[in-house]
Amino acid sequence: MNIKKSIVVRVRLAFLLVCLFACAIVYKVIAIQYLDGEKWKSISKERRIFYKPVHATRGNIFSDNGSILATSLPFYRVAFDPTVAKAEVFNNGVDSLAMLLAQFYGDRSEDYYRRKIKNARHAGRRYIRLNSRQINYQDKKLMAKWPVFRDGKNKGGVIFEKVEKRFKPFGLLADRTIGFINEDKNGAGLEFSFNGDLTGADGEALFERIAGGSKPIYDGTEVKPQHGYDIKTTLDINLQDVAENALYKALERTNAEYGCVILMEVKTGEIKAIANLGKTTGGYIEDYNYAVGNQGRTEPGSTFKLASMMALFEHAPEVKLTDTIDTGDGRYRIKNTVMTDAKINGYGKLTVQQVFEKSSNVGVAKLMEAHFSNDQQAYIDYLNKFGLNSTLGFQMEGEARPYMKDPRDKNWYGTTLTSMSIGYELKLSPLQTLAFYNAVANNGVKIQPIIVKEIRKADEVLHSYSTRVLDDQICSEATLKKLRMMLEGVVANGTAKNVLSADYKIAGKTGTARKVKNGRYVKEYSTSFAGYFPADNPKYSCIVIIDSPRGVNVYGGDVAAPVFKELADKAYARDLAMHKPMHERVVPNRESIPQVEAGSFDDLRTICNTIGVSTRNGNLDDEWVKVVPLRRSLGFEATPVMKNTVPDVQGMTLRDALYILGNQHLKVKVSGAGKRVKEQSLEPGTEINEEKTITITLS
C-alpha cells in the first residue's frame, strides 16, 4: 500500500513540474512579444538592415588618338522578388516567364523555373537569384520586356544587379602595358600604377537581408559613387600593332625566350609603342614588362659602348675619329682573362670610328685602358653624370634600378674597367638604355620618358603630364657630333648594314651580350639594337631586345636590328612630315648610274647611297670589290687581296691601285693618261716569290 501511494505522489509531482515549466514558457513568450517587443524588434531591424558599398565605375584608358584601350562594361545578374507582383499579373505571366528563362539560359527546364518561382512566392521569400550567369546590357533590355518583369522592380519584382567587367577592345594588344588589378589591389601596368585615379570613390546604399541574399532599399539615404577618372596614354595603336607583330615574328623565327620593343618620340619622350612578349607552351604572350621591370634588366653588351665613347670624348676631347688603334689578331689579354673580337683573326689596325662601327671589344678596351687606367673612378663619375646609375622616375610601377659598380667596391677587379666599357658587369633596363640614346638624338637633352599624358573627367583635363628634363646637356657639342657620326657609321659601314635605307638615315648600335647562368658566362646571348631615325633630323628613338635567340646568326645585327627596321619603315611611311620633298630625291635610272668599275667597297657604297643609286649585295665583308651594273642598280662582287699574290686592280682609280700594289711590295710603273686602270702587265693571281715590277695602263 505504501509503494502504491509513493508512486502516485511521484506522478503528481512530475505533472506539477511539467505544468510549471509550461507556464514559464508561456510567460517568456508573452514577455518577449509584448514586454520586450520593441527592444527585440530594434535589434532585429539593425541586423537585417545594413549599408553596403556601391562600387564606382572604373575610368577608361585611352590611346593617344582617343581609342579605348580598356573600359568597364556593365553586366547583370538577374534576381527576383516573387512576392511583389499582384496575383493576376503573376498567375497570367509565370508560365511564359518560366518558358523564356529556360530558353534563354538553356541550363534548366521550363518546369524547373516555374516551380522555383512559385515555391518562393508561396513561402514568402522576397529574393531569389534566377541564374548565376551574367548578362549584358542588351540582354537586360530584352528581359525587361518579358511577362511580370515588364512591370519593373516595384510592381514586377525583377532585380538587375549590376556587375562591371573590364574589357579591352583591342584584345591582347599592349596587354601587359595596360595591365590589371585584382581583388587584393595587387596588379601591374597602367591599371595598377594609376589605380587611385581610375578607381574613383565608392558610394553606399541601404540593403535588407532576406532569404537567399540581400535586397537594396532605396529610401533616399544612399550615397552615389563618384566614378573613376580616365587616363589618356601616349600609345599609338597602329605603331603598337606593328611593334608587336614584328617582335612576334622575330621571336618565332629565332625560338627566343623573350623580347621587347620601345618606340619613343625624341623631343617629347612620349612612348608610342611598347611591346613585351615571353615564351610559353602555346607561343608568345605579354607575360611581363621586360622593357621596364627587373626581369628585363640585363648586361646590355655593345649598346653600352656608346656611353663609354661619350666618357672617352668628354675626358679626352683631343681623341679624333680618325685616330688609329691596333686591335691585332682580335685577342687581348687583360690580367688573367683574354678579351676577343667577333671576327676570327681580328681586324688589325682600325680608326676610332671603325672600332665603334665594327664593335671591336679589343679596340674599346684599349681606348679605355689608355685614358682611364690611372683614374678608373673618373670613368664611373662620367657614367653617373650621364644618369646611368639612377632610375628615370617612370610613371609605371616596377621600374628596375640600374646596377653599376664602383672602384671602391670589393667586387671591383682588375678587369672591371674594360668589362664595363663593353657592357658587362653592370645592368640596365631597356628603357634606361633607350633614354640615354634618346639624349644623343635630342642634341644632348636627356628627358624623362612618359606614357600617360592626361588625367581626365569626361572632356575636362584634370592633370596633364609634359616633358621633364633630366639633364639639359648630357655632354659637349663636340662629343655629340662624334657620337652621331659613329652611330650613323654603324648602319652605313658596320654591324648593322642590313638595315640601311635608301629613303632615310638610321643611326644606331648593335649589341650581343653573353648571358650568365650559375655564375658563369654561357653561349647564350641577349641581342639588341638601339638607335634613332631619321638620323639627320631625329623624330623617333627605338630599342629592340631579343633574349636567347637560337640558330646560326645570333648577333644583334641579325636578330634585333631587322625588327627595328620594320617598325622604323612603318613609322616613316605614315609620317609625311619626315619625308623629303620629291625634287630633292634622286630617282635612279640607267643614265644616272655612275661609271664606276672597281674600288673600295665602303667608298663605293657611300657614294651610291649619297646620290640615291640602289645597290645589291651590300653586306660584303671584303674591302675591295668590282662593280656589276644591273638594270636599275649596281651590284658588288668581292675582289680578294691575298698575301704574296698579284691583285686585280683593273677598273680601279690610280690612287686605289697604287695603295693595293704597294702593300703587296710590287714596284709600279704607270703608262698612259686617265683616271682608271685599263690593263695590268701581271696576271691577277700570279704568285709573288721575288721582287717584281708591274706596269699599269690608264685610260
Side-chain angles (χ1 to χ4, degrees), residues 638-666:
T639 305
V641 178
M642 294 178 287
K643 191 176 181 180
N644 299 326
T645 303
V646 176
D648 185 359
V649 297
Q650 296 174 91
M652 294 186 181
T653 62
L654 177 61
R655 185 190 67 175
D656 288 343
L658 291 175
Y659 175 79
I660 294 174
L661 296 172
N663 284 340
Q664 296 295 92
H665 305 292
L666 290 168

Short mmCIF file of all heavy atoms in Angstrom, two decimals, residues 638-666:
data_model
loop_
_atom_site.label_atom_id
_atom_site.label_comp_id
_atom_site.label_asym_id
_atom_site.label_seq_id
_atom_site.Cartn_x
_atom_site.Cartn_y
_atom_site.Cartn_z
N ALA A 638 83.11 40.49 -104.73
CA ALA A 638 84.33 40.61 -103.94
C ALA A 638 85.57 40.41 -104.81
O ALA A 638 85.60 39.57 -105.70
CB ALA A 638 84.32 39.59 -102.82
N THR A 639 86.61 41.22 -104.57
CA THR A 639 87.92 41.07 -105.19
C THR A 639 88.94 40.87 -104.09
O THR A 639 89.51 41.84 -103.58
CB THR A 639 88.28 42.32 -106.03
OG1 THR A 639 87.25 42.56 -106.98
CG2 THR A 639 89.60 42.11 -106.76
N PRO A 640 89.15 39.64 -103.67
CA PRO A 640 90.04 39.42 -102.52
C PRO A 640 91.49 39.78 -102.84
O PRO A 640 91.97 39.57 -103.96
CB PRO A 640 89.89 37.92 -102.25
CG PRO A 640 89.40 37.34 -103.54
CD PRO A 640 88.59 38.40 -104.21
N VAL A 641 92.14 40.35 -101.87
CA VAL A 641 93.57 40.68 -101.98
C VAL A 641 94.31 39.74 -101.03
O VAL A 641 94.20 39.87 -99.81
CB VAL A 641 93.83 42.16 -101.60
CG1 VAL A 641 95.32 42.44 -101.67
CG2 VAL A 641 93.07 43.08 -102.53
N MET A 642 95.04 38.78 -101.64
CA MET A 642 95.71 37.76 -100.84
C MET A 642 97.21 38.00 -100.81
O MET A 642 97.80 38.54 -101.75
CB MET A 642 95.42 36.37 -101.43
CG MET A 642 93.95 35.97 -101.31
SD MET A 642 93.58 34.37 -102.05
CE MET A 642 93.71 34.78 -103.79
N LYS A 643 97.79 37.61 -99.70
CA LYS A 643 99.21 37.83 -99.48
C LYS A 643 100.05 37.08 -100.52
O LYS A 643 99.74 35.96 -100.90
CB LYS A 643 99.59 37.37 -98.08
CG LYS A 643 100.98 37.79 -97.64
CD LYS A 643 101.22 37.38 -96.19
CE LYS A 643 102.61 37.83 -95.74
NZ LYS A 643 102.86 37.45 -94.32
N ASN A 644 101.13 37.75 -101.02
CA ASN A 644 102.08 37.17 -102.00
C ASN A 644 101.40 36.77 -103.30
O ASN A 644 101.81 35.82 -103.97
CB ASN A 644 102.80 35.96 -101.40
CG ASN A 644 103.62 36.31 -100.18
OD1 ASN A 644 104.18 37.41 -100.10
ND2 ASN A 644 103.69 35.42 -99.20
N THR A 645 100.33 37.48 -103.66
CA THR A 645 99.61 37.21 -104.91
C THR A 645 99.30 38.52 -105.61
O THR A 645 98.93 39.51 -104.96
CB THR A 645 98.30 36.46 -104.62
OG1 THR A 645 98.59 35.26 -103.91
CG2 THR A 645 97.58 36.11 -105.92
N VAL A 646 99.45 38.55 -106.95
CA VAL A 646 99.17 39.76 -107.71
C VAL A 646 97.67 40.04 -107.66
O VAL A 646 96.86 39.19 -108.04
CB VAL A 646 99.62 39.61 -109.18
CG1 VAL A 646 99.23 40.85 -109.99
CG2 VAL A 646 101.13 39.40 -109.25
N PRO A 647 97.25 41.21 -107.17
CA PRO A 647 95.83 41.54 -107.11
C PRO A 647 95.30 42.03 -108.45
O PRO A 647 96.06 42.42 -109.33
CB PRO A 647 95.79 42.66 -106.07
CG PRO A 647 97.12 43.33 -106.20
CD PRO A 647 98.11 42.27 -106.58
N ASP A 648 94.00 42.02 -108.58
CA ASP A 648 93.34 42.54 -109.79
C ASP A 648 92.95 43.99 -109.52
O ASP A 648 92.04 44.26 -108.73
CB ASP A 648 92.11 41.70 -110.11
CG ASP A 648 91.44 42.12 -111.42
OD1 ASP A 648 91.93 43.08 -112.06
OD2 ASP A 648 90.43 41.49 -111.79
N VAL A 649 93.62 44.96 -110.18
CA VAL A 649 93.34 46.37 -109.96
C VAL A 649 92.68 47.01 -111.17
O VAL A 649 92.51 48.24 -111.22
CB VAL A 649 94.64 47.14 -109.60
CG1 VAL A 649 95.22 46.63 -108.30
CG2 VAL A 649 95.66 47.04 -110.72
N GLN A 650 92.29 46.23 -112.16
CA GLN A 650 91.66 46.77 -113.36
C GLN A 650 90.31 47.40 -113.02
O GLN A 650 89.51 46.79 -112.31
CB GLN A 650 91.48 45.67 -114.41
CG GLN A 650 92.81 45.10 -114.90
CD GLN A 650 92.61 43.92 -115.81
OE1 GLN A 650 92.52 44.10 -117.03
NE2 GLN A 650 92.54 42.72 -115.24
N GLY A 651 90.09 48.61 -113.51
CA GLY A 651 88.86 49.34 -113.23
C GLY A 651 88.98 50.26 -112.03
O GLY A 651 88.10 51.09 -111.81
N MET A 652 90.04 50.14 -111.22
CA MET A 652 90.21 50.97 -110.04
C MET A 652 90.84 52.31 -110.41
O MET A 652 91.46 52.47 -111.47
CB MET A 652 91.10 50.27 -109.00
CG MET A 652 90.50 49.02 -108.40
SD MET A 652 91.54 48.37 -107.08
CE MET A 652 90.60 46.91 -106.62
N THR A 653 90.67 53.27 -109.51
CA THR A 653 91.36 54.55 -109.69
C THR A 653 92.85 54.35 -109.45
O THR A 653 93.28 53.37 -108.84
CB THR A 653 90.82 55.60 -108.71
OG1 THR A 653 91.10 55.14 -107.37
CG2 THR A 653 89.33 55.81 -108.90
N LEU A 654 93.66 55.28 -109.97
CA LEU A 654 95.10 55.18 -109.80
C LEU A 654 95.48 55.16 -108.32
O LEU A 654 96.36 54.40 -107.91
CB LEU A 654 95.79 56.36 -110.51
CG LEU A 654 97.32 56.44 -110.37
CD1 LEU A 654 97.99 55.20 -110.95
CD2 LEU A 654 97.85 57.70 -111.05
N ARG A 655 94.81 55.96 -107.52
CA ARG A 655 95.12 56.02 -106.09
C ARG A 655 94.92 54.67 -105.43
O ARG A 655 95.78 54.18 -104.68
CB ARG A 655 94.26 57.08 -105.41
CG ARG A 655 94.61 57.30 -103.96
CD ARG A 655 93.58 58.16 -103.26
NE ARG A 655 92.29 57.47 -103.16
CZ ARG A 655 91.23 57.94 -102.51
NH1 ARG A 655 91.29 59.12 -101.92
NH2 ARG A 655 90.12 57.24 -102.46
N ASP A 656 93.76 54.04 -105.68
CA ASP A 656 93.48 52.74 -105.07
C ASP A 656 94.45 51.68 -105.56
O ASP A 656 94.92 50.83 -104.78
CB ASP A 656 92.05 52.31 -105.37
CG ASP A 656 91.01 53.12 -104.61
OD1 ASP A 656 91.41 53.78 -103.62
OD2 ASP A 656 89.83 53.11 -104.99
N ALA A 657 94.77 51.72 -106.86
CA ALA A 657 95.68 50.73 -107.43
C ALA A 657 97.07 50.83 -106.81
O ALA A 657 97.69 49.82 -106.45
CB ALA A 657 95.75 50.89 -108.94
N LEU A 658 97.57 52.05 -106.68
CA LEU A 658 98.90 52.25 -106.08
C LEU A 658 98.92 51.78 -104.63
O LEU A 658 99.89 51.20 -104.16
CB LEU A 658 99.30 53.72 -106.18
CG LEU A 658 99.59 54.25 -107.59
CD1 LEU A 658 99.86 55.76 -107.55
CD2 LEU A 658 100.79 53.53 -108.21
N TYR A 659 97.83 52.02 -103.90
CA TYR A 659 97.75 51.62 -102.49
C TYR A 659 97.81 50.09 -102.36
O TYR A 659 98.57 49.55 -101.55
CB TYR A 659 96.45 52.15 -101.88
CG TYR A 659 96.20 51.69 -100.47
CD1 TYR A 659 96.85 52.29 -99.40
CD2 TYR A 659 95.33 50.62 -100.21
CE1 TYR A 659 96.63 51.87 -98.09
CE2 TYR A 659 95.11 50.19 -98.91
CZ TYR A 659 95.76 50.82 -97.86
OH TYR A 659 95.55 50.39 -96.57
N ILE A 660 97.04 49.39 -103.19
CA ILE A 660 97.00 47.92 -103.09
C ILE A 660 98.32 47.31 -103.54
O ILE A 660 98.87 46.43 -102.88
CB ILE A 660 95.83 47.37 -103.93
CG1 ILE A 660 94.48 47.82 -103.33
CG2 ILE A 660 95.87 45.86 -103.99
CD1 ILE A 660 93.29 47.44 -104.16
N LEU A 661 98.82 47.77 -104.69
CA LEU A 661 100.05 47.18 -105.23
C LEU A 661 101.24 47.47 -104.32
O LEU A 661 102.13 46.64 -104.15
CB LEU A 661 100.30 47.73 -106.63
CG LEU A 661 99.23 47.34 -107.68
CD1 LEU A 661 99.47 48.09 -108.99
CD2 LEU A 661 99.24 45.84 -107.92
N GLY A 662 101.25 48.66 -103.73
CA GLY A 662 102.34 48.99 -102.81
C GLY A 662 102.34 48.10 -101.58
O GLY A 662 103.41 47.69 -101.10
N ASN A 663 101.15 47.78 -101.07
CA ASN A 663 101.05 46.88 -99.91
C ASN A 663 101.49 45.46 -100.24
O ASN A 663 101.80 44.68 -99.34
CB ASN A 663 99.62 46.86 -99.37
CG ASN A 663 99.29 48.12 -98.58
OD1 ASN A 663 100.19 48.83 -98.13
ND2 ASN A 663 98.01 48.40 -98.42
N GLN A 664 101.46 45.10 -101.54
CA GLN A 664 101.91 43.78 -101.97
C GLN A 664 103.40 43.78 -102.32
O GLN A 664 103.90 42.78 -102.85
CB GLN A 664 101.10 43.31 -103.18
CG GLN A 664 99.61 43.09 -102.90
CD GLN A 664 99.37 41.98 -101.92
OE1 GLN A 664 99.29 42.23 -100.72
NE2 GLN A 664 99.27 40.75 -102.41
N HIS A 665 104.07 44.92 -102.04
CA HIS A 665 105.53 45.06 -102.27
C HIS A 665 105.89 44.89 -103.74
O HIS A 665 106.92 44.30 -104.08
CB HIS A 665 106.30 44.04 -101.41
CG HIS A 665 105.97 44.12 -99.95
ND1 HIS A 665 106.33 45.21 -99.17
CD2 HIS A 665 105.28 43.28 -99.13
CE1 HIS A 665 105.89 45.02 -97.93
NE2 HIS A 665 105.26 43.86 -97.88
N LEU A 666 105.05 45.42 -104.62
CA LEU A 666 105.33 45.43 -106.06
C LEU A 666 105.80 46.82 -106.47
O LEU A 666 105.29 47.83 -105.97
CB LEU A 666 104.07 45.05 -106.85
CG LEU A 666 103.59 43.59 -106.75
CD1 LEU A 666 102.19 43.47 -107.33
CD2 LEU A 666 104.55 42.66 -107.46
#
